[in-house]
Amino acid sequence: MHLIRKIPRRLLLEGAGALALSAPFLGRIRSAHAQDAPVRFFGFMTAHDNLHRDYWHPNVGSGSPLPSSLPGFLSEIDGHLSKTTMISDMENNKSRPGTHEGWGIMLTGRDSRNGNADGPSVDHVIAERHGQTPLVMGHRSRETPTDLRNYCSWAGSGRPNAPIANPADAFEQVFGAGVPDSGPDPAAEARRRQRRSVLDFVAQEIQAVQPRLPAADRAQLDAHLTGIRQLEMQVADITMPTCSVDEVRADGWDPTANENFPRMIRLCNQIAVMATRCDLRRSFILQYGSCSGHFLRPGRWNDGPINDGDNWHDIAHRGEESNRIALEHFMMKIFNDLLDDLDALQEAGGKSHLDNSVCLWMRNMSNTSRSGNAHRQGDRFALLVGGAGGRLPGNQFYDSGGTEDNKVLITLMHACGFDDDTFGDSNLGRGPYPVLA
Amino acid sequence: MSLVPALLLVSACTGEFSSGREMGREELDQNPIEDDGILATVCGTDGVTHLPARRLTRTELAHSIADIFGVDVNPSVFPLDSEDGGFRSNRGQEIPAVDVAALFDAVESVAPPVAERVAEELGCALGDSGCSAELVAKWAPVLYRRPLEVGEEERLVAFAESSAMDFGADRALELTVQAMLSTPQFLYVTEVEAKDDSLRALSDRELLTRWSVTLFNSVPDAALLDLASGFDFSDIDERRAMLDTMLSDPRAERGLGELHVDWMGVDDPTGAKDADLFPDWNQATAEAAIEDVRYTGAKAILDGGTFYDLMTTRSARLGDGLDEIYGVSGDDGDEVELGEERSGILTRAGVLALGHHATPTEGHVVFRGLLVRRNFLCDEVPAPPPDIDPNTDRSETDQCAACHQFIDPIGFAFEPYDAIGAYQSDQPYSDTREVKEMPETGAPDAALYGEFDDLIELGDRLGQSEPVERCYTEAMFRYALRSVETELHRCAVDAVLEELGPNRTLREGLIELLASDVYRAVGPEAPANEEEL
């Protein structure tokens, strides 16, 4: 039922070469980037925090440059220190960080209502400012589909943006069925036509039923019809070119299976990079974990970093120290792969895509002890990596002094070109941190 | 700040139950409502209105597909539901585009196995002469829950035939099934015959649909439609008989189980527990605990029990890990009698462990107390002020204590039951524990006031309380309507309880409510901007 394609990393990194395959589209990309390139946002969300501040604090003063090598697992991104801003010691007593529930609402800047976010998350707001929706990909727990705490991207109160768990689906949603270099895939084209025929039929039925309904009922069906029309537009967009395509998903593998987690997230990384290179999306959430990590078992991942049968949550709290550190290294390396890929793509004016992006790494909790067996709402840090079109100078460490971490989200908005004074609940911090150019 | 007492108002109930007042003849021209005694004679007709459409819930969709086609579907493939009056209903909700996409994808994934099942019964291939018409004639009226209207059959047949031409017979069958399952006619429950301003009864199919989603948690299947055709729904005795027949169907446990799961607010099995303290707890245990809540509530009704029985029953159904939590022996699926530390639905593991009634490490005094105040006493308890510091000691500040003095003393009764609902016999109540009591303010029944020994005594008192039973019955009516009840509905509840007398069973009450003319009456649509008028 799905596109059976994969994106070869080699092709992906070939830069403009693949773009040349879609000449009509190339002009649009160039014109979009020739002047003031839009700043793209990437939220990199992983599971349960493992490590006490001893493992990550760079031990430099606030306002200082970062050390030549970051401590521990953070050293994985040493190659991007010049584009890295580290903000530490955020504190928040009002919106429940330090709990599993705090994970899902971390990007909303608001308290939750039983796991239900009370407003849109920053990725959604940024996407909306660009007239888009965010591309949310990654882990979607099969065991806990109704647990709202496991959604971190929100269109609004009670409206989570569920991550697309299958890279093939994400690919199809972003790029459609067109393959400019080889012509439309016959199977994908047939599927598109089939979906289109069903959607057309449903739209027709809604319109046929509506006239005999009371006004309130008609309004409900109007909303349904709007959703159907959006789907119709997606499947109708057969002329949308792609940058490069091959098989996103080979037959016989389940992208939602625990053992395939590393493969799944690497593919999602690549789709995000392709989507930004083609300027099809400007806000991304790479959801590579859940509120607790209970349903991910890193020790059973194919090509995984550790040999431990426990789930991520229990490893974080009770696992061997070496395993906790190895797991953090593994995920930080995935983050670094994303940074590498963005930095390898060139834009106008000699800038890379990373120069015109902001990649956020942040968690909602830390640990009070080196043993890891606790939650803590303080002692947290955030990484903002990328030049943000020149708005983030990089290579700086800033100690927030225990101020509210909504200011991270506000700083992020400013970095993306939106000078909002507040984000979410205005009682939880106003104005950006002084890390902007 | 003080608690707002429940809206147990009976002021709308004027006149005598047994005295008649004829409805205007002009109101009865079509789909007339027989005067069964409540609507016109007791409660008046002013509150009769049209209920907005609602999208079927995820469990209703899954159960409907299972009943109609014999195909099991995991409800979680469908988008999340919204609540109305504490029950999952999707009533009057405009679906977000993201949910339309999720719903479309879900139906698309369900269509192939359903089509396979349809093919077994169809006996012909789409594209063969007459096969599309046969397919549509057999399945569409069931899915649409009414005879097809002009144009509907033609459009479906045309879709099936053009799909067969374009994509082949097998794929066309899948697509046609997908199309039918994606239509608003299937996905939305509408009650369209009240489009004009008349006061009238629901059509037989509309009434049957309400009953079916209430009792079976699914829309009527072909067998139920056939069964219903043998009853005259204009006659209240025949409506009672039909309902009694439906309650003898095993699926009634399903619908009535959902009533109690929602009433207790414990439909979500995904809350994790501390793995150190509760290493054996997992989602399967949580689902078994929810199933036990379903069983407990439904059994009380289906076995002819009273409200007191619901609040004191020791009968439980075991599932994954429940034997350990309950301290009994037995296999999964066994029905067992629990020990003396369990009595009634409040002492069930699912109620104690889920729905915010416990944290990952311990029971939650406040939410357990709130459960009683809101769901058994029908109190409207205000939410904490938005500016309050969550770390504030709630007993030490006036702002917090104003409400918590009425909540926490009830919650203390639950304390021996830990985060997974296990009874900690080595940590019984002690003299140093906070006082367990039903504070006088806010309680609707003088017999409820005062201190009590434990949760068993609390359940016993609640089970004997007339106002608490009324509160439960209102919840039952809300569930049957999937809408917040009005004064008219509360009036009907009072009338039914009074008519049945003190020895009434829950089953009798349910049948009387669902058979009543209040339940099946439908009036004009409420003005869209009513609050501005």
Side-chain angles (χ1 to χ4, degrees):
Chain A
M1 297 294 289
H2 297 286
L3 274 178
I4 300 186
R5 293 171 173 172
K6 72 179 181 185
I7 308 164
R9 188 177 180 79
R10 177 181 55 78
L11 279 180
L12 182 67
L13 299 175
E14 282 177 350
L19 263 181
L21 295 171
S22 50
F25 188 53
L26 191 57
R28 187 162 77 83
I29 296 174
R30 281 179 177 157
S31 64
H33 294 172
Q35 299 172 356
D36 190 14
V39 176
R40 298 69 166 231
F41 167 64
F42 297 81
F44 193 90
M45 309 291 288
T46 67
H48 215 281
D49 186 78
N50 299 59
L51 298 173
H52 182 259
R53 65 185 287 130
D54 289 355
Y55 293 95
W56 55 262
H57 200 286
N59 292 316
V60 295
S62 185
S64 302
L66 293 165
S68 57
S69 178
L70 290 173
F73 66 101
L74 293 181
S75 63
E76 295 287 351
I77 63 165
D78 278 353
H80 300 286
L81 288 184
S82 66
K83 298 173 185 173
T84 297
T85 299
M86 185 174 190
I87 301 170
S88 80
D89 292 78
M90 296 89 70
E91 186 74 47
N92 190 343
N93 293 318
K94 294 179 181 172
S95 63
R96 270 175 273 184
T99 66
H100 292 169
E101 189 171 339
W103 187 87
I105 59 167
M106 183 167 43
L107 300 182
T108 68
R110 298 173 188 268
D111 200 352
S112 74
R113 296 176 188 272
N114 302 326
N116 181 8
D118 207 18
S121 53
V122 70
D123 57 293
H124 192 91
V125 172
I126 290 170
E128 276 192 330
R129 300 279 174 93
H130 289 295
Q132 299 179 341
T133 55
L135 179 58
V136 184
M137 297 180 286
H139 175 61
R140 186 175 186 178
S141 171
R142 289 182 297 191
E143 294 84 352
T144 61
T146 60
D147 190 342
L148 292 175
R149 300 175 305 169
N150 286 330
Y151 297 96
C152 60
S153 176
W154 298 82
S157 178
R159 296 162 58 202
N161 294 321
I164 304 171
N166 187 337
D169 292 341
F171 183 90
E172 188 176 7
Q173 184 180 111
V174 175
F175 297 100
V179 185
D181 53 346
S182 59
D185 176 278
E189 174 62 11
R191 180 166 181 257
R192 184 195 64 77
R193 288 177 55 218
Q194 291 162 7
R195 285 176 70 99
R196 179 63 189 254
S197 72
V198 175
L199 288 164
D200 288 348
F201 176 81
V202 173
Q204 171 186 262
E205 290 304 300
I206 291 174
Q207 291 171 313
V209 167
Q210 273 185 316
R212 56 189 171 82
L213 295 180
D217 296 2
R218 287 200 300 273
Q220 286 188 63
L221 293 196
D222 268 342
H224 200 112
L225 184 59
T226 299
I228 293 292
R229 293 292 190 216
Q230 288 187 14
L231 291 172
E232 283 181 316
M233 289 173 64
Q234 286 178 19
V235 299
D237 193 6
I238 58 170
T239 60
M240 183 70 75
T242 61
C243 295
S244 62
V245 291
D246 201 328
E247 289 190 356
V248 170
R249 187 180 65 175
D251 284 329
W253 82 288
D254 177 1
T256 66
N258 175 72
E259 62 269 24
N260 293 325
F261 182 78
R263 180 178 180 182
M264 182 272 290
I265 64 177
R266 287 191 173 104
L267 280 171
C268 289
N269 261 12
Q270 293 177 33
I271 290 169
V273 172
M274 288 181 64
T276 190
R277 192 180 68 182
C278 294
D279 198 25
L280 296 175
R281 298 294 176 95
R282 294 176 181 171
S283 180
F284 303 84
I285 288 294
L286 304 169
Q287 182 171 322
Y288 297 160
S290 59
C291 70
S292 67
H294 270 114
F295 297 100
L296 285 167
R297 294 183 181 275
R300 296 177 187 169
W301 292 345
N302 293 332
D303 304 320
I306 59 175
N307 182 18
D308 184 318
D310 263 344
N311 63 64
W312 197 329
H313 174 270
D314 291 358
I315 291 170
H317 282 308
R318 292 182 294 278
E320 293 290 331
E321 181 185 46
S322 59
N323 282 340
R324 286 185 282 129
I325 293 172
L327 186 51
E328 289 292 358
H329 268 285
F330 182 82
M331 293 307 298
M332 190 53 70
K333 187 170 188 322
I334 300 287
F335 183 55
N336 187 64
D337 289 344
L338 173 70
L339 303 177
D340 283 348
D341 288 351
L342 290 172
D343 220 15
L345 295 177
Q346 295 302 303
E347 294 201 272
K351 300 289 187 185
S352 73
H353 275 245
L354 186 59
D355 291 325
N356 289 324
S357 299
V358 185
C359 303
L360 172 71
W361 188 104
M362 185 168 78
R363 283 186 179 148
N364 64 305
M365 63 171 72
S366 66
N367 266 313
T368 48
S369 70
R370 290 176 64 92
S371 70
N373 197 17
H375 290 175
R376 176 156 166 67
Q377 64 186 14
D379 280 349
R380 291 175 296 123
F381 70 98
L383 298 172
L384 297 174
V385 188
R391 296 186 180 89
L392 281 172
N395 191 23
Q396 55 177 333
F397 174 79
Y398 180 79
D399 186 332
S400 76
T403 52
E404 308 285 7
D405 55 355
N406 269 24
K407 290 168 76 70
V408 173
L409 305 180
I410 299 163
T411 305
L412 183 63
M413 291 292 290
H414 280 243
C416 289
F418 308 113
D419 294 339
D420 299 50
D421 186 51
T422 63
F423 187 86
D425 184 347
S426 60
N427 294 316
L428 300 180
R430 306 181 76 92
Y433 286 125
V435 295
L436 295 159
Chain B
M1 188 177 303
S2 63
L3 290 171
V4 180
L7 291 172
L8 296 172
L9 306 176
V10 293
S11 57
C13 299
T14 56
E16 298 300 320
F17 185 80
S18 56
S19 65
R21 180 176 72 80
E22 287 193 4
M23 298 166 67
R25 188 68 253 167
E26 68 281 3
E27 297 173 327
L28 303 176
D29 285 344
Q30 294 177 328
N31 303 321
I33 296 181
E34 294 294 320
D35 181 359
D36 298 333
I38 298 175
L39 179 62
T41 59
V42 180
C43 301
T45 59
D46 288 348
V48 178
T49 187
H50 164 263
L51 289 179
R54 73 179 186 87
R55 183 166 42 87
L56 293 172
T57 67
R58 58 196 341 202
T59 59
E60 288 166 350
L61 286 169
H63 289 146
S64 298
I65 291 169
D67 288 353
I68 294 170
F69 297 107
V71 173
D72 289 334
V73 178
N74 185 341
S76 66
V77 303
F78 300 109
L80 294 169
D81 300 315
S82 63
E83 293 184 358
D84 196 10
F87 295 95
R88 289 165 283 170
S89 79
N90 300 323
R91 172 82 73 194
Q93 298 296 313
E94 294 181 12
I95 184 172
V98 67
D99 285 352
V100 173
L103 189 56
F104 189 81
D105 288 348
V107 172
E108 187 177 48
S109 70
V110 165
V114 171
E116 196 174 320
R117 184 76 184 84
V118 168
E120 291 171 8
E121 294 197 24
L122 197 57
C124 60
L126 291 192
D128 293 351
S129 176
C131 192
S132 295
E134 186 180 336
L135 167 73
V136 170
K138 182 174 177 59
W139 299 105
V142 178
L143 293 171
Y144 289 14
R145 303 182 285 281
R146 56 172 172 71
L148 299 192
E149 297 183 346
V150 174
E152 287 181 329
E153 180 177 358
E154 291 78 4
R155 292 195 297 271
L156 274 169
V157 170
F159 177 86
E161 291 184 344
S162 66
S163 297
M165 197 174 302
D166 292 343
F167 308 117
D170 293 344
R171 185 69 184 123
L173 184 56
E174 293 178 357
L175 292 172
T176 307
V177 166
Q178 182 187 348
M180 288 193 290
L181 291 174
S182 299
T183 57
Q185 293 94 324
F186 173 65
L187 293 173
Y188 288 82
V189 177
T190 58
E191 292 166 350
V192 296
E193 290 197 2
K195 185 182 173 188
D196 59 25
D197 292 336
S198 300
L199 170 68
R200 59 179 67 196
L202 293 169
S203 73
D204 288 356
R205 290 231 181 188
E206 289 168 343
L207 181 60
L208 184 65
T209 298
R210 276 198 188 180
W211 285 347
S212 184
V213 294
T214 300
L215 301 181
F216 296 168
N217 202 238
S218 67
V219 297
D221 61 4
L224 187 62
L225 290 167
D226 285 345
L227 176 67
S229 65
F231 291 83
D232 175 6
F233 286 178
S234 67
D235 183 317
I236 190 169
D237 287 330
E238 298 229 8
R239 296 202 295 275
R240 290 180 178 126
M242 178 70 193
L243 286 162
D244 198 54
T245 303
M246 290 178 72
L247 286 170
S248 300
D249 189 303
R251 290 176 293 180
E253 182 178 327
R254 204 167 64 189
L256 298 179
E258 292 300 310
L259 156 65
H260 291 86
V261 165
D262 277 10
W263 179 47
M264 293 290 95
V266 294
D267 60 298
D268 183 0
T270 59
K273 300 298 179 186
D274 186 290
D276 282 340
L277 295 172
F278 311 106
D280 296 330
W281 177 271
N282 54 44
Q283 190 161 330
T285 313
E287 287 169 353
I290 293 173
E291 183 58 30
D292 181 41
V293 174
R294 286 193 189 99
Y295 165 83
T296 302
K299 181 179 171 61
I301 296 176
L302 297 172
D303 285 0
T306 63
F307 182 65
Y308 184 76
D309 292 330
L310 174 65
M311 298 306 297
T312 56
T313 178
R314 291 202 168 106
S315 183
R317 179 182 286 161
L318 296 183
D320 195 317
L322 288 188
D323 53 340
E324 292 287 332
I325 292 173
Y326 286 144
V328 297
S329 57
D331 296 327
D332 291 357
D334 283 356
E335 296 176 9
V336 297
E337 283 293 299
L338 303 179
E340 292 183 352
E341 74 284 1
R342 307 279 173 179
S343 178
I345 195 166
L346 276 177
T347 62
R348 290 300 178 271
V351 174
L352 295 161
L354 302 173
H356 303 289
H357 305 148
T359 71
T361 57
E362 61 186 358
H364 201 304
V365 167
V366 175
F367 279 107
R368 288 171 168 183
L370 275 173
L371 171 69
V372 173
R373 291 233 78 104
R374 285 175 169 159
N375 296 15
F376 289 80
L377 308 183
C378 279
D379 282 343
E380 292 182 7
V381 184
D387 57 344
I388 203 156
D389 183 342
N391 296 320
T392 303
D393 185 333
R394 59 182 184 270
S395 65
E396 289 190 356
T397 63
D398 291 344
Q399 192 181 23
C400 299
C403 284
H404 283 282
Q405 64 178 313
F406 301 113
I407 300 168
D408 298 8
I410 302 172
F412 293 141
F414 293 77
E415 287 211 298
Y417 303 88
D418 64 18
I420 61 171
Y423 184 77
Q424 299 301 321
S425 58
D426 56 340
Q427 293 180 339
Y429 298 115
S430 69
D431 292 340
T432 59
R433 275 292 194 208
E434 290 87 346
V435 173
K436 300 171 286 296
E437 69 168 340
M438 178 68 71
E440 186 167 342
T441 302
D445 183 351
L448 283 173
Y449 298 161
E451 296 185 19
F452 46 84
D453 287 338
D454 52 24
L455 188 55
I456 307 303
E457 184 180 352
L458 174 61
D460 192 271
R461 284 196 206 175
L462 292 169
Q464 295 182 64
S465 169
E466 182 93 13
V468 173
E469 181 176 356
R470 186 184 303 119
C471 178
Y472 166 80
T473 311
E474 287 173 0
M476 180 190 281
F477 209 17
R478 266 201 311 281
Y479 175 72
L481 291 161
R482 296 295 208 287
S483 178
V484 175
E485 78 276 20
T486 64
E487 285 192 23
L488 173 67
H489 300 133
R490 284 191 284 271
C491 177
V493 167
D494 285 342
V496 164
L497 293 179
E498 181 180 334
E499 175 70 7
L500 291 174
N503 296 320
R504 59 191 169 252
T505 67
L506 297 176
R507 184 179 180 126
E508 290 169 339
L510 178 65
I511 288 176
E512 286 307 305
L513 281 175
L514 268 60
S516 72
D517 44 11
V518 169
Y519 183 70
R520 72 190 188 113
V522 61
E525 182 187 11
N529 55 349
E530 191 174 27
E531 67 281 3
E532 297 172 12
L533 297 178

